[in-house]
Amino acid sequence: MKNTRRETLTAIGTASLWTTLGSGVVLGSTTGFTGTGSPIQKAIYDVTQSREGPYLVAANGDVLARRAATAADDTAYEQVLDAGLRAGDKTFYGTDSTDDGRNVWLAGESGRVGYYDAVDEQFTDYSNPNGLSPTWRDVAVAGVAGRDKVYLFGDGGEVLVGERDGPGMEWESAAVFNGGNTIYGGSLVDETTGYCCDSTGTVYETVDGGSTWTNIGISRTNKPMYDIDAVATDTVTAVGGGGRIFEYDGTEWSKYKPGSSDVRGVDRTTDDQVAVGVGGRLYTRTSDGWSVTNFDSSKTLRGVALDTTGSYPDAVGGNGGQIFERGTYTAYPDDLRLESADKPSIGYEFDVSGPTTGTDRNELDDDVTQTTTGYTVEGSVGDGDRVDRYRYGGDVSGFSVTSGPASKLTTVRSGTEVSVERLTDRTWTEVATPVDVTLYEIVETTGAFYAAGESGRIIKTDSNGDWVVVTKTGVKGGGNTLYGAGVTDDRAAVWVAGGSGVIGRIDPSTDEITDYSDTETYTTTWTDVATAGTTESETVYLVNGSGEVVTGDYDGTTLTLGDAVKPGNGSSIRGVTCIDADLAYVCDDNSTVYETRDGGATWTDIGISWAGVTLYDVAAVGRDDITVVGGSGRLFRYNGAVWTLTKLGGNSRIGVDRSADRGVAVGGSAEVFEREIEGWTETYEDASDVTLNSGIVVRDDSTASKYAVGGNGVALRQTIDDPL
């Protein structure tokens, strides 16, 4: 369950934390565990320590993360996943972290396997490796993030070993060496040396990366071993049924029986060793041996993870969602660096929800003040002191420049340079439009935003940011509804398409609309359109409800349409996007995404076989960064190898837009979800029944970072607080 050689915080500058326990006898405190709030009441099965503190995995696919606590928090644990990796309510039984503590791996029922990146705050799903779908009872990990070595231990005695291979995993063949008995626990000393224990009370060792496993005991026990933890080959502890605890010195096993109830979980560090079990029992090891006490609970406790840094609490989890902690969260896992390349002094202020400290780079008059909801930081940079740096836990908000030129300030958050505006407070506001019909799509040109919709309406923003009508009657004057809009790479031309095969091109310099419909060949309703290339050298992708894609080339005068191609079985295609003239993606009602690399001549199915919902829209940053949204609040991310689900509420997500590290997804109940520096969060919801159909990440206006449009002519604009 735990890789006890983890150097949990080396990624943020902590020195090596683990050394070998040669004797197997350790000293440690037995006091200080107290109950803490939990956002769930389901059984917690395992705990691990990450670079940001404890993570816990639980029944029905729940995952909890420890956060920096403030006085305003009801609980310091956040539910970062519910209903499992594929929204199937599959229980997670095991968790472990990479050596740098960045990737938190989890495994459980129906072959579910994946990891959570604690920095990017997103999951990656590797479920059913090699097509296998057993219940994984535990996972053990070695190596740093990006070079993860993963061992999975199964209900049928399977052990499966895999290594990261770019965005994917390279899995070996599964091994079964113990007669098919359930393997409950596993632990690694390093990438090649590890241990596991099974339902017969037997322990196995590998020293060749999982290629072979050797039975090393335990003899004369008829009780299952539920967990095992190894610091070194001569420092191994296994726990199991009937209150039994066993220690291995590399040659022999020593048996301890401090109680009679089953012991379910164990963890050890250089100076401590703790186990937990049935009846709320806590087992601790001192130089005098093992002793047992009771938590303030009679519920079964299943997982324990000890901190080695002094910066995070030790954590225990068990039935009923119960969590117990020892110690406090005093770490600063994130970093904010402020730089000024010029001499003028720049004053700044921002708020942080968690603990914060400045470094010795900061000026003496820089100030960190605790508030009821976190901390307020005030300082200045420049004029001889060109770098300030803060380490913190929590979220930065309300950043403002109190004096000096904001344009001269560079802000770097946890290694990623971001604009000052990205750290300020942002607000969504409904803005008036001159129409009351449904708007289906919004695009951005170099000087304005255009939205197209029902009855052929097209509107745009003027120089004051107000919406004005471009046309009330559509491309051909017949009021055909426009469902799609696309913009050229240079943002100098807009294409629209919709009912009865209508296709039009807008010249933003004049707002002239030219009709390029080919109604003799195509009369079906176009459901979306995407455009690649620069002005007068444009490629247009059109999709329809018959599951067809038509590619066209525009040379400045004529749009030449090709033959219709069906990538799939004819299910309605809802969304299309293209990265360039040759590389494009479409999504359909049959939960399928297709890719073309040859300009639409051929298409390849790239997923999502298990999605189970209609897919409405697709956005692509690159071949290894694709986002699709669909019914029941589903958002799917493709990393070039696997699809991963993120659940965004319960309403359908209709539209999505992405840039390299930002995103917006919109849908029912006027809900807006955003991805900024990390993770997806809901940032707007209206009580009305209005559906938002399209959102956009704004590129050319630093005061409006996103837009969204939808039913009843609704348009939302997100503005940022002026940093000055």
Side-chain angles (χ1 to χ4, degrees), residues 648-672:
L648 305 181
N651 293 307
S652 293
R653 299 295 128 230
I654 306 297
V656 65
D657 189 35
R658 281 287 315 280
S659 63
D661 61 351
R662 306 172 67 200
V664 58
V666 299
S669 298
E671 291 174 330
V672 179

mmCIF file with all atom_site columns, all heavy atoms in Angstrom, residues 648-672:
data_model
loop_
_atom_site.group_PDB
_atom_site.id
_atom_site.type_symbol
_atom_site.label_atom_id
_atom_site.label_alt_id
_atom_site.label_comp_id
_atom_site.label_asym_id
_atom_site.label_entity_id
_atom_site.label_seq_id
_atom_site.pdbx_PDB_ins_code
_atom_site.Cartn_x
_atom_site.Cartn_y
_atom_site.Cartn_z
_atom_site.occupancy
_atom_site.B_iso_or_equiv
_atom_site.pdbx_formal_charge
_atom_site.auth_seq_id
_atom_site.auth_comp_id
_atom_site.auth_asym_id
_atom_site.auth_atom_id
_atom_site.pdbx_PDB_model_num
ATOM 1   N N   . LEU A 1 648 ? -18.540 17.040 -14.541 1.00 0.00 ? 648 LEU A N   1
ATOM 2   C CA  . LEU A 1 648 ? -18.841 18.445 -14.295 1.00 0.00 ? 648 LEU A CA  1
ATOM 3   C C   . LEU A 1 648 ? -20.342 18.595 -14.069 1.00 0.00 ? 648 LEU A C   1
ATOM 4   O O   . LEU A 1 648 ? -21.106 18.934 -14.973 1.00 0.00 ? 648 LEU A O   1
ATOM 5   C CB  . LEU A 1 648 ? -18.400 19.312 -15.477 1.00 0.00 ? 648 LEU A CB  1
ATOM 6   C CG  . LEU A 1 648 ? -16.939 19.194 -15.919 1.00 0.00 ? 648 LEU A CG  1
ATOM 7   C CD1 . LEU A 1 648 ? -16.655 20.132 -17.077 1.00 0.00 ? 648 LEU A CD1 1
ATOM 8   C CD2 . LEU A 1 648 ? -15.998 19.484 -14.763 1.00 0.00 ? 648 LEU A CD2 1
ATOM 9   N N   . GLY A 1 649 ? -20.788 18.320 -12.845 1.00 0.00 ? 649 GLY A N   1
ATOM 10  C CA  . GLY A 1 649 ? -22.196 18.440 -12.531 1.00 0.00 ? 649 GLY A CA  1
ATOM 11  C C   . GLY A 1 649 ? -23.020 17.344 -13.185 1.00 0.00 ? 649 GLY A C   1
ATOM 12  O O   . GLY A 1 649 ? -22.500 16.334 -13.668 1.00 0.00 ? 649 GLY A O   1
ATOM 13  N N   . GLY A 1 650 ? -24.337 17.557 -13.241 1.00 0.00 ? 650 GLY A N   1
ATOM 14  C CA  . GLY A 1 650 ? -25.233 16.560 -13.793 1.00 0.00 ? 650 GLY A CA  1
ATOM 15  C C   . GLY A 1 650 ? -25.869 16.934 -15.109 1.00 0.00 ? 650 GLY A C   1
ATOM 16  O O   . GLY A 1 650 ? -26.449 16.088 -15.792 1.00 0.00 ? 650 GLY A O   1
ATOM 17  N N   . ASN A 1 651 ? -25.796 18.207 -15.489 1.00 0.00 ? 651 ASN A N   1
ATOM 18  C CA  . ASN A 1 651 ? -26.382 18.657 -16.749 1.00 0.00 ? 651 ASN A CA  1
ATOM 19  C C   . ASN A 1 651 ? -25.433 18.405 -17.912 1.00 0.00 ? 651 ASN A C   1
ATOM 20  O O   . ASN A 1 651 ? -24.212 18.371 -17.740 1.00 0.00 ? 651 ASN A O   1
ATOM 21  C CB  . ASN A 1 651 ? -26.718 20.153 -16.684 1.00 0.00 ? 651 ASN A CB  1
ATOM 22  C CG  . ASN A 1 651 ? -27.841 20.447 -15.702 1.00 0.00 ? 651 ASN A CG  1
ATOM 23  O OD1 . ASN A 1 651 ? -28.910 19.857 -15.777 1.00 0.00 ? 651 ASN A OD1 1
ATOM 24  N ND2 . ASN A 1 651 ? -27.586 21.349 -14.775 1.00 0.00 ? 651 ASN A ND2 1
ATOM 25  N N   . SER A 1 652 ? -26.007 18.259 -19.096 1.00 0.00 ? 652 SER A N   1
ATOM 26  C CA  . SER A 1 652 ? -25.173 18.044 -20.276 1.00 0.00 ? 652 SER A CA  1
ATOM 27  C C   . SER A 1 652 ? -24.228 19.211 -20.489 1.00 0.00 ? 652 SER A C   1
ATOM 28  O O   . SER A 1 652 ? -24.578 20.376 -20.262 1.00 0.00 ? 652 SER A O   1
ATOM 29  C CB  . SER A 1 652 ? -26.054 17.872 -21.518 1.00 0.00 ? 652 SER A CB  1
ATOM 30  O OG  . SER A 1 652 ? -26.787 16.675 -21.445 1.00 0.00 ? 652 SER A OG  1
ATOM 31  N N   . ARG A 1 653 ? -23.011 18.891 -20.924 1.00 0.00 ? 653 ARG A N   1
ATOM 32  C CA  . ARG A 1 653 ? -22.063 19.920 -21.358 1.00 0.00 ? 653 ARG A CA  1
ATOM 33  C C   . ARG A 1 653 ? -22.180 19.992 -22.885 1.00 0.00 ? 653 ARG A C   1
ATOM 34  O O   . ARG A 1 653 ? -21.909 19.018 -23.586 1.00 0.00 ? 653 ARG A O   1
ATOM 35  C CB  . ARG A 1 653 ? -20.634 19.550 -20.971 1.00 0.00 ? 653 ARG A CB  1
ATOM 36  C CG  . ARG A 1 653 ? -20.387 19.402 -19.500 1.00 0.00 ? 653 ARG A CG  1
ATOM 37  C CD  . ARG A 1 653 ? -20.547 20.709 -18.729 1.00 0.00 ? 653 ARG A CD  1
ATOM 38  N NE  . ARG A 1 653 ? -21.456 20.522 -17.603 1.00 0.00 ? 653 ARG A NE  1
ATOM 39  C CZ  . ARG A 1 653 ? -22.477 21.295 -17.327 1.00 0.00 ? 653 ARG A CZ  1
ATOM 40  N NH1 . ARG A 1 653 ? -22.744 22.319 -18.091 1.00 0.00 ? 653 ARG A NH1 1
ATOM 41  N NH2 . ARG A 1 653 ? -23.254 21.058 -16.304 1.00 0.00 ? 653 ARG A NH2 1
ATOM 42  N N   . ILE A 1 654 ? -22.563 21.147 -23.392 1.00 0.00 ? 654 ILE A N   1
ATOM 43  C CA  . ILE A 1 654 ? -22.878 21.308 -24.814 1.00 0.00 ? 654 ILE A CA  1
ATOM 44  C C   . ILE A 1 654 ? -21.693 21.859 -25.609 1.00 0.00 ? 654 ILE A C   1
ATOM 45  O O   . ILE A 1 654 ? -21.469 21.494 -26.763 1.00 0.00 ? 654 ILE A O   1
ATOM 46  C CB  . ILE A 1 654 ? -24.094 22.232 -24.999 1.00 0.00 ? 654 ILE A CB  1
ATOM 47  C CG1 . ILE A 1 654 ? -25.282 21.714 -24.177 1.00 0.00 ? 654 ILE A CG1 1
ATOM 48  C CG2 . ILE A 1 654 ? -24.467 22.346 -26.470 1.00 0.00 ? 654 ILE A CG2 1
ATOM 49  C CD1 . ILE A 1 654 ? -25.777 20.356 -24.601 1.00 0.00 ? 654 ILE A CD1 1
ATOM 50  N N   . GLY A 1 655 ? -20.935 22.768 -24.997 1.00 0.00 ? 655 GLY A N   1
ATOM 51  C CA  . GLY A 1 655 ? -19.832 23.400 -25.712 1.00 0.00 ? 655 GLY A CA  1
ATOM 52  C C   . GLY A 1 655 ? -18.563 23.421 -24.901 1.00 0.00 ? 655 GLY A C   1
ATOM 53  O O   . GLY A 1 655 ? -18.593 23.472 -23.666 1.00 0.00 ? 655 GLY A O   1
ATOM 54  N N   . VAL A 1 656 ? -17.408 23.374 -25.603 1.00 0.00 ? 656 VAL A N   1
ATOM 55  C CA  . VAL A 1 656 ? -16.115 23.412 -24.928 1.00 0.00 ? 656 VAL A CA  1
ATOM 56  C C   . VAL A 1 656 ? -15.113 24.145 -25.807 1.00 0.00 ? 656 VAL A C   1
ATOM 57  O O   . VAL A 1 656 ? -15.171 24.071 -27.036 1.00 0.00 ? 656 VAL A O   1
ATOM 58  C CB  . VAL A 1 656 ? -15.603 21.983 -24.599 1.00 0.00 ? 656 VAL A CB  1
ATOM 59  C CG1 . VAL A 1 656 ? -15.322 21.186 -25.855 1.00 0.00 ? 656 VAL A CG1 1
ATOM 60  C CG2 . VAL A 1 656 ? -14.375 22.037 -23.703 1.00 0.00 ? 656 VAL A CG2 1
ATOM 61  N N   . ASP A 1 657 ? -14.207 24.883 -25.173 1.00 0.00 ? 657 ASP A N   1
ATOM 62  C CA  . ASP A 1 657 ? -13.095 25.528 -25.877 1.00 0.00 ? 657 ASP A CA  1
ATOM 63  C C   . ASP A 1 657 ? -11.868 25.396 -25.001 1.00 0.00 ? 657 ASP A C   1
ATOM 64  O O   . ASP A 1 657 ? -11.957 25.383 -23.769 1.00 0.00 ? 657 ASP A O   1
ATOM 65  C CB  . ASP A 1 657 ? -13.407 27.001 -26.161 1.00 0.00 ? 657 ASP A CB  1
ATOM 66  C CG  . ASP A 1 657 ? -12.380 27.644 -27.079 1.00 0.00 ? 657 ASP A CG  1
ATOM 67  O OD1 . ASP A 1 657 ? -11.881 26.946 -27.986 1.00 0.00 ? 657 ASP A OD1 1
ATOM 68  O OD2 . ASP A 1 657 ? -12.071 28.838 -26.906 1.00 0.00 ? 657 ASP A OD2 1
ATOM 69  N N   . ARG A 1 658 ? -10.713 25.276 -25.628 1.00 0.00 ? 658 ARG A N   1
ATOM 70  C CA  . ARG A 1 658 ? -9.465  25.064 -24.910 1.00 0.00 ? 658 ARG A CA  1
ATOM 71  C C   . ARG A 1 658 ? -8.346  25.884 -25.519 1.00 0.00 ? 658 ARG A C   1
ATOM 72  O O   . ARG A 1 658 ? -8.320  26.138 -26.718 1.00 0.00 ? 658 ARG A O   1
ATOM 73  C CB  . ARG A 1 658 ? -9.055  23.585 -24.988 1.00 0.00 ? 658 ARG A CB  1
ATOM 74  C CG  . ARG A 1 658 ? -9.770  22.642 -24.050 1.00 0.00 ? 658 ARG A CG  1
ATOM 75  C CD  . ARG A 1 658 ? -9.324  22.813 -22.609 1.00 0.00 ? 658 ARG A CD  1
ATOM 76  N NE  . ARG A 1 658 ? -7.884  22.915 -22.498 1.00 0.00 ? 658 ARG A NE  1
ATOM 77  C CZ  . ARG A 1 658 ? -7.055  21.883 -22.515 1.00 0.00 ? 658 ARG A CZ  1
ATOM 78  N NH1 . ARG A 1 658 ? -7.524  20.656 -22.631 1.00 0.00 ? 658 ARG A NH1 1
ATOM 79  N NH2 . ARG A 1 658 ? -5.759  22.069 -22.397 1.00 0.00 ? 658 ARG A NH2 1
ATOM 80  N N   . SER A 1 659 ? -7.420  26.301 -24.657 1.00 0.00 ? 659 SER A N   1
ATOM 81  C CA  . SER A 1 659 ? -6.093  26.747 -25.074 1.00 0.00 ? 659 SER A CA  1
ATOM 82  C C   . SER A 1 659 ? -5.107  25.862 -24.329 1.00 0.00 ? 659 SER A C   1
ATOM 83  O O   . SER A 1 659 ? -5.503  24.872 -23.714 1.00 0.00 ? 659 SER A O   1
ATOM 84  C CB  . SER A 1 659 ? -5.884  28.231 -24.757 1.00 0.00 ? 659 SER A CB  1
ATOM 85  O OG  . SER A 1 659 ? -5.947  28.455 -23.357 1.00 0.00 ? 659 SER A OG  1
ATOM 86  N N   . ALA A 1 660 ? -3.837  26.195 -24.351 1.00 0.00 ? 660 ALA A N   1
ATOM 87  C CA  . ALA A 1 660 ? -2.825  25.291 -23.807 1.00 0.00 ? 660 ALA A CA  1
ATOM 88  C C   . ALA A 1 660 ? -3.105  24.884 -22.359 1.00 0.00 ? 660 ALA A C   1
ATOM 89  O O   . ALA A 1 660 ? -3.023  23.710 -22.014 1.00 0.00 ? 660 ALA A O   1
ATOM 90  C CB  . ALA A 1 660 ? -1.444  25.925 -23.916 1.00 0.00 ? 660 ALA A CB  1
ATOM 91  N N   . ASP A 1 661 ? -3.445  25.816 -21.494 1.00 0.00 ? 661 ASP A N   1
ATOM 92  C CA  . ASP A 1 661 ? -3.686  25.461 -20.094 1.00 0.00 ? 661 ASP A CA  1
ATOM 93  C C   . ASP A 1 661 ? -4.958  26.090 -19.549 1.00 0.00 ? 661 ASP A C   1
ATOM 94  O O   . ASP A 1 661 ? -5.148  26.192 -18.348 1.00 0.00 ? 661 ASP A O   1
ATOM 95  C CB  . ASP A 1 661 ? -2.492  25.856 -19.220 1.00 0.00 ? 661 ASP A CB  1
ATOM 96  C CG  . ASP A 1 661 ? -2.215  27.353 -19.253 1.00 0.00 ? 661 ASP A CG  1
ATOM 97  O OD1 . ASP A 1 661 ? -2.835  28.061 -20.070 1.00 0.00 ? 661 ASP A OD1 1
ATOM 98  O OD2 . ASP A 1 661 ? -1.371  27.816 -18.463 1.00 0.00 ? 661 ASP A OD2 1
ATOM 99  N N   . ARG A 1 662 ? -5.842  26.511 -20.438 1.00 0.00 ? 662 ARG A N   1
ATOM 100 C CA  . ARG A 1 662 ? -7.090  27.118 -20.008 1.00 0.00 ? 662 ARG A CA  1
ATOM 101 C C   . ARG A 1 662 ? -8.243  26.437 -20.729 1.00 0.00 ? 662 ARG A C   1
ATOM 102 O O   . ARG A 1 662 ? -8.064  25.793 -21.760 1.00 0.00 ? 662 ARG A O   1
ATOM 103 C CB  . ARG A 1 662 ? -7.092  28.619 -20.316 1.00 0.00 ? 662 ARG A CB  1
ATOM 104 C CG  . ARG A 1 662 ? -5.893  29.360 -19.759 1.00 0.00 ? 662 ARG A CG  1
ATOM 105 C CD  . ARG A 1 662 ? -5.853  30.790 -20.262 1.00 0.00 ? 662 ARG A CD  1
ATOM 106 N NE  . ARG A 1 662 ? -6.964  31.559 -19.734 1.00 0.00 ? 662 ARG A NE  1
ATOM 107 C CZ  . ARG A 1 662 ? -7.402  32.698 -20.287 1.00 0.00 ? 662 ARG A CZ  1
ATOM 108 N NH1 . ARG A 1 662 ? -6.861  33.145 -21.407 1.00 0.00 ? 662 ARG A NH1 1
ATOM 109 N NH2 . ARG A 1 662 ? -8.391  33.363 -19.741 1.00 0.00 ? 662 ARG A NH2 1
ATOM 110 N N   . GLY A 1 663 ? -9.440  26.575 -20.176 1.00 0.00 ? 663 GLY A N   1
ATOM 111 C CA  . GLY A 1 663 ? -10.580 25.960 -20.825 1.00 0.00 ? 663 GLY A CA  1
ATOM 112 C C   . GLY A 1 663 ? -11.884 26.495 -20.282 1.00 0.00 ? 663 GLY A C   1
ATOM 113 O O   . GLY A 1 663 ? -11.942 27.078 -19.198 1.00 0.00 ? 663 GLY A O   1
ATOM 114 N N   . VAL A 1 664 ? -12.959 26.304 -21.062 1.00 0.00 ? 664 VAL A N   1
ATOM 115 C CA  . VAL A 1 664 ? -14.307 26.649 -20.622 1.00 0.00 ? 664 VAL A CA  1
ATOM 116 C C   . VAL A 1 664 ? -15.253 25.605 -21.186 1.00 0.00 ? 664 VAL A C   1
ATOM 117 O O   . VAL A 1 664 ? -15.135 25.202 -22.347 1.00 0.00 ? 664 VAL A O   1
ATOM 118 C CB  . VAL A 1 664 ? -14.708 28.074 -21.054 1.00 0.00 ? 664 VAL A CB  1
ATOM 119 C CG1 . VAL A 1 664 ? -14.639 28.235 -22.565 1.00 0.00 ? 664 VAL A CG1 1
ATOM 120 C CG2 . VAL A 1 664 ? -16.108 28.428 -20.555 1.00 0.00 ? 664 VAL A CG2 1
ATOM 121 N N   . ALA A 1 665 ? -16.165 25.111 -20.338 1.00 0.00 ? 665 ALA A N   1
ATOM 122 C CA  . ALA A 1 665 ? -17.190 24.153 -20.754 1.00 0.00 ? 665 ALA A CA  1
ATOM 123 C C   . ALA A 1 665 ? -18.530 24.671 -20.255 1.00 0.00 ? 665 ALA A C   1
ATOM 124 O O   . ALA A 1 665 ? -18.646 25.099 -19.095 1.00 0.00 ? 665 ALA A O   1
ATOM 125 C CB  . ALA A 1 665 ? -16.909 22.769 -20.193 1.00 0.00 ? 665 ALA A CB  1
ATOM 126 N N   . VAL A 1 666 ? -19.553 24.641 -21.116 1.00 0.00 ? 666 VAL A N   1
ATOM 127 C CA  . VAL A 1 666 ? -20.847 25.226 -20.778 1.00 0.00 ? 666 VAL A CA  1
ATOM 128 C C   . VAL A 1 666 ? -21.956 24.240 -21.089 1.00 0.00 ? 666 VAL A C   1
ATOM 129 O O   . VAL A 1 666 ? -21.774 23.289 -21.857 1.00 0.00 ? 666 VAL A O   1
ATOM 130 C CB  . VAL A 1 666 ? -21.079 26.544 -21.542 1.00 0.00 ? 666 VAL A CB  1
ATOM 131 C CG1 . VAL A 1 666 ? -20.014 27.567 -21.180 1.00 0.00 ? 666 VAL A CG1 1
ATOM 132 C CG2 . VAL A 1 666 ? -21.108 26.305 -23.055 1.00 0.00 ? 666 VAL A CG2 1
ATOM 133 N N   . GLY A 1 667 ? -23.145 24.498 -20.486 1.00 0.00 ? 667 GLY A N   1
ATOM 134 C CA  . GLY A 1 667 ? -24.262 23.603 -20.738 1.00 0.00 ? 667 GLY A CA  1
ATOM 135 C C   . GLY A 1 667 ? -25.523 24.026 -20.035 1.00 0.00 ? 667 GLY A C   1
ATOM 136 O O   . GLY A 1 667 ? -25.813 25.215 -19.901 1.00 0.00 ? 667 GLY A O   1
ATOM 137 N N   . GLY A 1 668 ? -26.300 23.036 -19.538 1.00 0.00 ? 668 GLY A N   1
ATOM 138 C CA  . GLY A 1 668 ? -27.590 23.284 -18.932 1.00 0.00 ? 668 GLY A CA  1
ATOM 139 C C   . GLY A 1 668 ? -27.529 24.119 -17.678 1.00 0.00 ? 668 GLY A C   1
ATOM 140 O O   . GLY A 1 668 ? -26.504 24.207 -17.002 1.00 0.00 ? 668 GLY A O   1
ATOM 141 N N   . SER A 1 669 ? -28.682 24.770 -17.349 1.00 0.00 ? 669 SER A N   1
ATOM 142 C CA  . SER A 1 669 ? -28.808 25.650 -16.181 1.00 0.00 ? 669 SER A CA  1
ATOM 143 C C   . SER A 1 669 ? -27.784 26.765 -16.196 1.00 0.00 ? 669 SER A C   1
ATOM 144 O O   . SER A 1 669 ? -27.358 27.244 -15.142 1.00 0.00 ? 669 SER A O   1
ATOM 145 C CB  . SER A 1 669 ? -28.691 24.848 -14.870 1.00 0.00 ? 669 SER A CB  1
ATOM 146 O OG  . SER A 1 669 ? -29.727 23.899 -14.775 1.00 0.00 ? 669 SER A OG  1
ATOM 147 N N   . ALA A 1 670 ? -27.407 27.193 -17.397 1.00 0.00 ? 670 ALA A N   1
ATOM 148 C CA  . ALA A 1 670 ? -26.445 28.291 -17.572 1.00 0.00 ? 670 ALA A CA  1
ATOM 149 C C   . ALA A 1 670 ? -25.168 28.065 -16.781 1.00 0.00 ? 670 ALA A C   1
ATOM 150 O O   . ALA A 1 670 ? -24.537 29.005 -16.307 1.00 0.00 ? 670 ALA A O   1
ATOM 151 C CB  . ALA A 1 670 ? -27.077 29.628 -17.191 1.00 0.00 ? 670 ALA A CB  1
ATOM 152 N N   . GLU A 1 671 ? -24.776 26.797 -16.637 1.00 0.00 ? 671 GLU A N   1
ATOM 153 C CA  . GLU A 1 671 ? -23.571 26.481 -15.865 1.00 0.00 ? 671 GLU A CA  1
ATOM 154 C C   . GLU A 1 671 ? -22.321 26.698 -16.708 1.00 0.00 ? 671 GLU A C   1
ATOM 155 O O   . GLU A 1 671 ? -22.279 26.362 -17.889 1.00 0.00 ? 671 GLU A O   1
ATOM 156 C CB  . GLU A 1 671 ? -23.609 25.038 -15.385 1.00 0.00 ? 671 GLU A CB  1
ATOM 157 C CG  . GLU A 1 671 ? -24.673 24.776 -14.331 1.00 0.00 ? 671 GLU A CG  1
ATOM 158 C CD  . GLU A 1 671 ? -24.777 23.307 -13.994 1.00 0.00 ? 671 GLU A CD  1
ATOM 159 O OE1 . GLU A 1 671 ? -24.507 22.473 -14.878 1.00 0.00 ? 671 GLU A OE1 1
ATOM 160 O OE2 . GLU A 1 671 ? -25.140 22.997 -12.852 1.00 0.00 ? 671 GLU A OE2 1
ATOM 161 N N   . VAL A 1 672 ? -21.293 27.233 -16.053 1.00 0.00 ? 672 VAL A N   1
ATOM 162 C CA  . VAL A 1 672 ? -19.987 27.416 -16.678 1.00 0.00 ? 672 VAL A CA  1
ATOM 163 C C   . VAL A 1 672 ? -18.936 26.757 -15.796 1.00 0.00 ? 672 VAL A C   1
ATOM 164 O O   . VAL A 1 672 ? -18.868 27.018 -14.589 1.00 0.00 ? 672 VAL A O   1
ATOM 165 C CB  . VAL A 1 672 ? -19.639 28.907 -16.856 1.00 0.00 ? 672 VAL A CB  1
ATOM 166 C CG1 . VAL A 1 672 ? -18.261 29.055 -17.488 1.00 0.00 ? 672 VAL A CG1 1
ATOM 167 C CG2 . VAL A 1 672 ? -20.691 29.615 -17.696 1.00 0.00 ? 672 VAL A CG2 1
#
